[in-house]
Amino acid sequence: MEREDDRDELEDILREMTMEREDVMGAMVFCLDRSDCALEIVECIQQSLTIPETPLDKKIARLYLVSDIIHNSSCSRPSAWAYRSAFEKVLPEVVDHFGEVVRKLPGRLTQRIVRDKVMRVLYAWVQWAVYVPSYTRGLEAVLMFNKEDAEREREKEQALPLPSAPGHRDHKGTEKENGVHGGMGDGEEEEDEEEDLDGEALDSQDYS
């Protein structure tokens, strides 16, 4: 970052973050206000997400931060758009790390609870249509399996013939139908888009 103080402050924010909505929202606004340093901020967040010793609740809180930044990357802050593509490059490694953490947790119930928290975030990205469906499906596979097995599953899926049944919607139509923020109607989605354009960060999302 341009100022060393900014990086130190970001590291302090990440270190002290909780899953409280106010914490996630404050961290998101900090990052959007410094979106001209998006690549460095993404690198810092990625590193904080993959430290083995970090408590699990901290990791989840930081994942919520990633999701909120992605959701607001279409706002009018200069260079905010860069966050979406920058996170796209590092998310497979982050989600793979979450998968390893989940598989090491004691008890299937605990594993399922944590995995569901991550899956709700991935599902939100599907609803917002921020990434192509094949990308989010790949992240889901990485979460459920290790990276090598997920890659084999993706290759199998690509080898399957495309469906040709009558009435099959094209990719654009599917995205339009599924890309509804939080399951709201069209009118409410348009309202969110207007809020994005005013340059102010939207509210932090609720993944509970």
Side-chain angles (χ1 to χ4, degrees), residues 169-182:
R169 294 193 303 273
D170 61 17
H171 179 65
K172 182 178 180 182
T174 302
E175 280 200 334
K176 184 175 182 181
E177 179 174 329
N178 291 340
V180 179
H181 170 56

Side-chain angles (χ1 to χ4, degrees), residues 3-204:
R3 294 173 49 204
E4 188 65 28
D5 290 348
D6 282 345
R7 185 177 183 91
D8 291 343
E9 186 174 355
L10 175 59
E11 291 175 351
D12 288 340
I13 290 172
L14 293 172
R15 192 177 299 114
E16 298 169 7
M17 269 191 74
T18 71
M19 287 186 282
E20 292 295 323
R21 187 167 183 162
E22 292 78 10
D23 281 1
V24 178
M25 185 184 226
M28 175 191 68
V29 172
F30 178 92
C31 294
L32 290 178
D33 284 345
R34 294 157 181 79
S35 54
D36 55 324
C37 301
L39 295 180
E40 189 174 352
I41 289 173
V42 168
E43 180 184 9
C44 186
I45 295 174
Q46 175 199 7
Q47 291 172 354
S48 76
L49 276 163
T50 53
I51 299 172
E53 298 80 14
T54 303
L56 186 55
D57 60 336
K58 295 281 186 189
K59 293 180 188 287
I60 297 293
R62 293 166 186 174
L63 182 63
Y64 290 168
L65 169 61
V66 170
S67 188
D68 280 3
I69 293 173
I70 290 172
H71 180 256
N72 289 285
S73 61
S74 59
C75 74
S76 58
R77 303 289 177 88
S79 302
W81 53 268
Y83 277 114
R84 188 175 297 190
S85 57
F87 275 121
E88 184 176 6
K89 295 176 181 177
V90 303
L91 280 170
E93 179 182 344
V94 170
V95 175
D96 183 54
H97 175 74
F98 268 100
E100 292 179 3
V101 170
V102 168
R103 286 188 287 273
K104 292 177 181 177
L105 291 173
R108 291 186 179 182
L109 178 59
T110 303
Q111 292 180 4
R112 188 179 70 182
I113 291 172
V114 176
R115 186 181 290 116
D116 285 350
K117 288 180 182 291
V118 180
M119 287 296 291
R120 278 196 291 270
V121 174
L122 300 184
Y123 182 68
W125 298 344
V126 173
Q127 293 294 92
W128 303 335
V130 294
Y131 296 123
V132 296
S134 59
Y135 177 78
T136 50
R137 285 198 302 267
L139 294 180
E140 292 174 10
V142 168
L143 179 64
M144 300 299 295
F145 312 104
N146 59 44
K147 194 178 288 187
E148 291 75 17
D149 289 342
E151 180 64 23
R152 282 193 288 269
E153 289 296 320
R154 188 182 68 83
E155 291 174 354
K156 288 179 183 178
E157 180 179 307
Q158 289 179 339
L160 293 175
L162 293 174
S164 57
H168 175 71
R169 294 193 303 273
D170 61 17
H171 179 65
K172 182 178 180 182
T174 302
E175 280 200 334
K176 184 175 182 181
E177 179 174 329
N178 291 340
V180 179
H181 170 56
M184 297 188 296
D186 291 340
E188 291 172 294
E189 183 182 13
E190 291 174 0
E191 182 180 341
D192 272 358
E193 290 174 354
E194 291 175 2
E195 290 178 3
D196 273 349
L197 296 176
D198 66 8
E200 295 299 324
L202 298 179
D203 286 345
S204 177

